[in-house]
Amino acid sequence: MSAITQVNSNVGVNKIPENFLLGAATSAYQIEGGWNADGKGESVWDHYLHKQPDIVQDITNGDIAADSYHLYERDVEILKELGAKAYRFSISWTRILPDGTTNFINPHGIAYYSRLIDLLLANNILPLVTLYHWDLPITFSNNGGWLNETTTDRFGEYARIVFNAFGDKVKNWITVNEPSIHCSFIYEYGIHPPLKKSPGVGFYECGRNLLLAHAKAYHIYDIEFRKIQGGKVGLSLDAEWPIAASDSKDDLEAVKDYLAFNVGQYMDPIFKGDYPERLVNRIAAASRRQCYTTSRLQALTAKEKAYINGTADFVGINHYYSLYVYRNASVRGMYETPSFLDDTGLGTFQDPSWPQSAFTRMREYAPGLYSLLMYLKDTYHNPVVYITENGFPTTPAEDLNDEKKAHYLRAYLKAVLDAKANGSNCQGYFFWSLVDGLEWASGLQKYRFGLYQVDFIDPSRKRTARKSALVYKEIIRSGTIDFGYNPNPYGDTCFINT
Ligand code: BGC
């Protein structure tokens, strides 16, 4: 087996090390609601989900969602109930800057996040704050969005306002959440607003601009704030773990390409100074075959490379699942041309025996996270890593008894501890998510990611602890992972453990 295929850990660490941050995560549009409260401006999600509601499968939207704009005190109370040491949330750009620009700073937006941050700190909960979790101001979306390089300048200006407003209290910043998924859902697949499907083209351009936007915010922090505020800046990347379907040379190469296209596209420019060679070469070759005069992946200039290189004090990893990867003749012609998938030239599948969540592709295979962390350690000089998302949706029918989620949480956290014991510099773990929220184009109904259930019918958006919350709470309290702990989320005799 090659070094980057599956490694099974037998270390079996169940103790949470001291100073390891355990927390939970959310994002603004998915939970806040208050979409136009107190002067908030319109984001691309507000705009499109009002104009074209059927973008979302169950025709729901984020107008109210979990109503955290009004219920943030309850959210902090939940974090306290869990004993969480940290909370990852995102700031809504248009709550702070209603039209996206610095022409007008909304004092109510500043006041809202100040209240939330103060309450977290008063309860010894560390804020890890994301500047951008996909809710682009509609003004910029209408002006080319992330295909327009000037959006990176606007992002820098927004970052400066946020650092200035909250940086005395917030010491850990994530600039951008999941550039790869964000760009692919808009440009590759056309399923997230503004639905601009341009396979094999927009995706790379969007990703390139998000890298530049990230670097811009990093430099602004570095030059203008770091000395006084002393915080850290990173970004969150989505990363599945690819396992070679066999030991054949083609399958092992496919794994390397999968990692180059999905992880390396962002990690390499930041940690090694340029795009991975295999990414550059494969896209250039495919572009030539398709009669493009230049590669669909625009190279980074020497100036851009220098600008992006070294711009992360830590990397946030959002990891949900693993998959098998292969390459053989059957892959040829499998995808539309041009497209990202066609450029990768590989096929994927999953092991049907891996426990499945409500979402087909999200299955439990915890050794994948172990391998991913070891890969990051070996490939990028052991950077500081936070698992900024990891989660497993259950169905509404599973209600409070989300046994599978509780198992997933324990298994993945154990994989993180195993990796840590073997040298990974992972310093924290944030479960996705604290409460149920709007699962983007899948809506409010189908997937329940929350440790706490939210009753979306109840106007008070009542939050109730699920079994996974009780399990997490016990892990944090005892500092150990006990797979035998079996709490009753109903607190009475009607609990049947399936
Ligand atoms: C996103 C979250 C989303 C989660 C589950 C991640 O890609 O950052 O916003 O809810 O996946 O699908």
Side-chain angles (χ1 to χ4, degrees), residues 78-103:
I78 287 173
L79 288 156
K80 266 165 63 187
E81 281 169 19
L82 289 170
K85 304 275 184 288
Y87 180 41
R88 176 185 176 222
F89 65 91
S90 81
I91 289 185
S92 152
W93 188 335
T94 55
R95 205 179 282 295
I96 302 282
L97 305 177
D99 72 357
T101 72
T102 53
N103 292 354

Side-chain angles (χ1 to χ4, degrees), residues 27 30 133-134 177-178 181 318 320 359 362 389 432 439-440 449:
S27 89
Q30 292 180 273
H133 199 124
W134 303 358
N177 180 68
E178 297 189 353
I181 298 249
N318 297 353
Y320 286 88
F359 187 2
M362 292 191 177
E389 285 182 31
W432 184 272
E439 187 45 36
W440 304 109
F449 279 92

Side-chain angles (χ1 to χ4, degrees), residues 48-67:
Y48 275 82
L49 269 44
H50 292 152
K51 193 173 92 170
Q52 211 178 313
D54 63 356
I55 290 173
V56 173
Q57 283 171 22
D58 60 5
I59 324 283
T60 53
N61 60 39
D63 286 3
I64 302 175
D67 204 17

Side-chain angles (χ1 to χ4, degrees), residues 141-395:
S141 179
N142 286 342
N143 196 24
W146 289 111
L147 301 188
N148 182 341
E149 216 184 303
T150 63
T151 304
T152 68
D153 297 324
R154 303 293 85 77
F155 180 71
E157 290 156 9
Y158 157 63
R160 179 180 289 113
I161 301 284
V162 174
F163 294 147
N164 192 45
F166 310 115
D168 53 337
K169 295 168 185 163
V170 174
K171 302 298 166 191
N172 292 288
W173 297 102
I174 288 171
T175 55
V176 168
N177 180 68
E178 297 189 353
S180 181
I181 298 249
H182 186 41
C183 297
S184 70
F185 282 8
I186 301 173
Y187 298 107
E188 197 62 28
Y189 306 115
I191 53 175
H192 278 189
L195 315 172
K196 299 274 184 206
K197 193 167 181 220
S198 63
V201 179
F203 170 74
Y204 298 118
E205 224 173 305
C206 167
R208 194 178 185 284
N209 282 327
L210 276 170
L211 266 174
L212 289 166
H214 155 77
K216 193 153 284 173
Y218 185 92
H219 287 298
I220 287 172
Y221 191 82
D222 217 30
I223 295 165
E224 302 173 29
F225 297 96
R226 189 185 292 275
K227 231 200 208 136
I228 323 156
Q229 300 184 346
K232 304 249 187 278
V233 181
L235 79 172
S236 282
L237 301 176
D238 48 287
E240 301 95 31
W241 180 248
I243 308 165
S246 79
D247 278 348
S248 76
K249 190 168 168 286
D250 281 346
D251 289 353
L252 295 174
E253 281 295 302
V255 165
K256 289 182 185 162
D257 286 336
Y258 188 96
L259 287 164
F261 273 81
N262 290 281
V263 178
Q265 190 176 344
Y266 301 94
M267 280 297 278
D268 280 31
I270 294 173
F271 286 89
K272 293 184 168 180
D274 198 359
Y275 285 133
E277 240 175 77
R278 29 179 89 236
L279 175 83
V280 171
N281 292 344
R282 282 197 74 87
I283 302 170
S287 304
R288 269 195 305 275
R289 280 198 304 275
Q290 294 148 5
C291 304
Y292 283 83
T293 46
T294 53
S295 174
R296 285 178 280 101
L297 175 71
Q298 195 189 331
L300 295 166
T301 64
K303 208 169 146 205
E304 287 167 341
K305 284 184 215 171
Y307 191 65
I308 295 169
N309 195 6
T311 56
D313 304 318
F314 65 87
V315 60
I317 291 294
N318 297 353
H319 173 83
Y320 286 88
Y321 60 89
S322 293
L323 24 72
Y324 282 96
V325 166
Y326 64 93
R327 177 173 290 143
N328 58 31
S330 74
V331 177
R332 220 164 295 142
M334 192 188 250
Y335 306 112
E336 68 183 302
T337 312
S339 70
F340 166 77
L341 288 175
D342 185 63
D343 289 339
T344 66
L346 50 87
T348 61
F349 64 95
Q350 288 184 309
D351 183 337
S353 75
W354 294 340
Q356 199 182 343
S357 70
F359 187 2
T360 339
R361 232 166 150 66
M362 292 191 177
R363 291 173 179 270
E364 181 187 316
Y365 182 68
L369 180 52
Y370 173 85
S371 303
L372 174 65
L373 285 171
M374 298 314 279
Y375 172 78
L376 294 172
K377 165 184 169 287
D378 295 340
T379 313
Y380 299 103
H381 304 292
N382 207 7
V384 174
V385 174
Y386 291 98
I387 301 300
T388 42
E389 285 182 31
N390 176 235
F392 193 83
T394 43
T395 61

